[in-house]
Amino acid sequence: MSAFDDLMAFQRETEALAQIAGRLGWDQETMMPRGASAQRGEEMAAVEGVLHGRRVDPRIAGWLEMIDEGHLDDAGSAQLRHIRRSHARASKVPAALAARLARVTSEAQGIWAEAREADDFKAFAPTLSEVITLKREEGMALAAGADIYDAMLDDYEPGATGAELEAMFGALRPELTRLREAVRNAEAPPKLEGKFDESAQMKLTRQLAKTFGYDMSMGRVDKAVHPFSSGSGLDVRITTRTNETDPFNCFYSTIHEVGHACYEQGIDRAYLLTPLGAGVSMGVHESQSRIYENQLGRSRAFTGWLFGQMKDAFGDFGVADEDTFYRIVNRVSDGYIRTEADELQYNLHVLMRFDLERALMGGDLQVDDLEAAWNDRFKADFGYEVDKPSNGVLQDVHWSVGLFGYFPTYSLGNVYAGCLNEALRKDLPDLNSHLTAGDTSAATGWLRQNVQSHGGLYQPKDLIARATGTAPSEAPLLTYLTSKFGELYSL
């Protein structure tokens, strides 16, 4: 075997172990007994220790030196790019720190959940301080004198910087707040009323998953507090949640997670259990979930079909016609929860978190002041007070598990989705006629061909540029939102 073959065989084992670690995380959110969190922390730390050891294995450097890249194809060169990057980053982080982070963040997740249930931020603050201290230590090791937050961001969006995103988000925020104010002063659509059987919701949500191309023979749909997607290749699982009075929470959480899952299921099988066998970045990943959920799932064409499916599932549920249903689905309303936010206001939730976590990592904001800072920023951006911590600073799991640098990829994903939607609509001018019939295959097929199948082959911004023919920009997203909500609210 060649050095490249030896390296890839070693890497496949590492990727397989990483999938096992991911399955432990999935189980912790879905099936694990509540009392098992301490032991699970030890298990996660043990697996992370093994993974870290493999990622810094000195044989990797030796194999990389022996490989003549001139004899590799584009995919082979891309594999090496990912392996070099992973090896370099892992080698900068001491094994003891990696294991301690895995243990502390696993335990912190349970502490956060209890504090959230009790609406007691002070109960979580000491643990969050410990997580931040460890993450800053990791960030300093990775940054090697450069910006700590950029080093963290690079874990989720390679090549992006905080300054670059600050400029992009700075262009988004004024227009979003202007449009939000205009909508709030306009006549609102009616609200959905009534109760919707939870078993019927789960039946329809599984149908929706299949409608958007999710292969249930290699996946499953379960319930969790926080919907998520887990896994890649031949085992990609999603979770959703139900609300007796809000079935859209279930349906659109599912469609969103199906976007993530279909990305992983759609990657070229030749890349299975290799660095190219997963989504290239969280921003690109989020572009898939958001375009599935919003530009496709909340479109006038698709909601017309969904209206009929809901009538079949729930009978007469008090909505007169498809147009009214479309307006209800896209209703802009006040709310605290990011994951439940309407399409127009969602990014304002993310931009707030981006600014706060940068301040935390930079030392400009202390944990003891975080709750007040959150509440002040929320009041400034949304115009009303946070009523309790579970609707505010405790609502998201991300900081408890150390995912600093993750939040901005949600809005970056929306930006990418805006770009992809513009290109997709140009290439598929008759798309609405398909969506009206509940057929998403033209759109999802376009996305699979132009984005999903490539896995990690291209750099994130290059992938979007190849798919759309132009560099990523916030302009298509703003044009889409202005047009859609201007029409909906007669602005």
Side-chain angles (χ1 to χ4, degrees), residues 212-232:
F212 277 87
Y214 182 50
D215 188 342
M216 295 288 283
S217 72
M218 296 182 289
R220 53 182 291 140
V221 182
D222 293 280
K223 290 175 65 175
V225 173
H226 189 96
F228 66 94
S229 173
S230 175
S232 66

Side-chain angles (χ1 to χ4, degrees), residues 120-130 132-133 356 359-360 363-376 393 399:
D120 185 2
F121 177 70
K122 289 182 179 180
F124 176 57
T127 302
L128 179 59
S129 293
E130 184 178 7
I132 289 173
T133 297
L356 290 175
L360 284 168
D364 300 318
L365 176 62
Q366 303 305 312
V367 170
D368 287 345
D369 301 318
L370 176 59
E371 184 174 14
W374 178 294
N375 293 346
D376 290 345
V393 70
W399 290 339

Side-chain angles (χ1 to χ4, degrees), residues 167-241:
M168 177 180 283
F169 296 164
L172 278 174
R173 191 176 176 195
E175 290 301 306
L176 292 176
T177 54
R178 180 196 62 78
L179 186 56
R180 179 183 61 82
E181 282 303 307
V183 165
R184 289 185 75 195
N185 291 326
E187 182 180 355
K191 293 182 180 180
L192 189 66
E193 304 285 352
K195 293 185 177 181
F196 299 82
D197 179 73
E198 293 189 0
S199 63
Q201 286 187 45
M202 288 302 295
K203 182 178 179 180
L204 180 50
T205 212
R206 288 186 170 90
Q207 179 186 344
L208 284 169
K210 295 175 185 177
T211 296
F212 277 87
Y214 182 50
D215 188 342
M216 295 288 283
S217 72
M218 296 182 289
R220 53 182 291 140
V221 182
D222 293 280
K223 290 175 65 175
V225 173
H226 189 96
F228 66 94
S229 173
S230 175
S232 66
L234 307 182
D235 189 347
V236 187
R237 309 178 187 194
I238 67 171
T239 67
T240 190
R241 58 186 170 195

Side-chain angles (χ1 to χ4, degrees), residues 127-146:
T127 302
L128 179 59
S129 293
E130 184 178 7
V131 172
I132 289 173
T133 297
L134 291 173
K135 289 300 293 185
R136 294 191 86 251
E137 186 177 343
E138 180 190 50
M140 286 187 284
L142 292 170

Side-chain angles (χ1 to χ4, degrees), residues 84-291:
R84 284 195 186 98
R85 175 177 173 274
S86 174
H87 181 64
R89 288 179 67 81
S91 297
K92 293 176 182 178
V93 179
L97 175 59
R100 189 178 175 199
L101 262 170
R103 182 181 299 107
V104 168
T105 53
S106 180
E107 294 172 355
Q109 189 172 5
I111 295 169
W112 160 80
E114 291 177 0
R116 181 176 180 269
E117 187 174 349
D119 273 311
D120 185 2
F121 177 70
K122 289 182 179 180
F124 176 57
T127 302
L128 179 59
S129 293
E130 184 178 7
V131 172
I132 289 173
T133 297
L134 291 173
K135 289 300 293 185
R136 294 191 86 251
E137 186 177 343
E138 180 190 50
M140 286 187 284
L142 292 170
D147 187 271
I148 292 175
Y149 189 76
D150 286 354
M152 295 178 181
L153 180 61
D154 198 62
D155 266 340
Y156 310 106
E157 197 65 26
T161 68
E164 175 186 57
L165 294 181
E166 183 179 22
M168 177 180 283
F169 296 164
L172 278 174
R173 191 176 176 195
E175 290 301 306
L176 292 176
T177 54
R178 180 196 62 78
L179 186 56
R180 179 183 61 82
E181 282 303 307
V183 165
R184 289 185 75 195
N185 291 326
E187 182 180 355
K191 293 182 180 180
L192 189 66
E193 304 285 352
K195 293 185 177 181
F196 299 82
D197 179 73
E198 293 189 0
S199 63
Q201 286 187 45
M202 288 302 295
K203 182 178 179 180
L204 180 50
T205 212
R206 288 186 170 90
Q207 179 186 344
L208 284 169
K210 295 175 185 177
T211 296
F212 277 87
Y214 182 50
D215 188 342
M216 295 288 283
S217 72
M218 296 182 289
R220 53 182 291 140
V221 182
D222 293 280
K223 290 175 65 175
V225 173
H226 189 96
F228 66 94
S229 173
S230 175
S232 66
L234 307 182
D235 189 347
V236 187
R237 309 178 187 194
I238 67 171
T239 67
T240 190
R241 58 186 170 195
T242 57
N243 183 318
E244 189 178 39
T245 61
D246 181 13
F248 296 148
N249 192 313
C250 178
F251 300 153
Y252 284 100
S253 291
T254 298
I255 295 171
H256 179 99
E257 299 307 332
V258 163
H260 284 303
C262 284
Y263 186 2
E264 294 293 336
Q265 288 186 337
I267 296 171
D268 191 323
R269 287 287 181 267
Y271 303 154
L272 186 67
L273 293 180
T274 76
L276 301 191
V280 69
S281 76
M282 290 315 304
V284 175
H285 236 301
E286 195 66 13
S287 77
Q288 301 307 282
S289 62
R290 296 301 280 181
I291 198 170

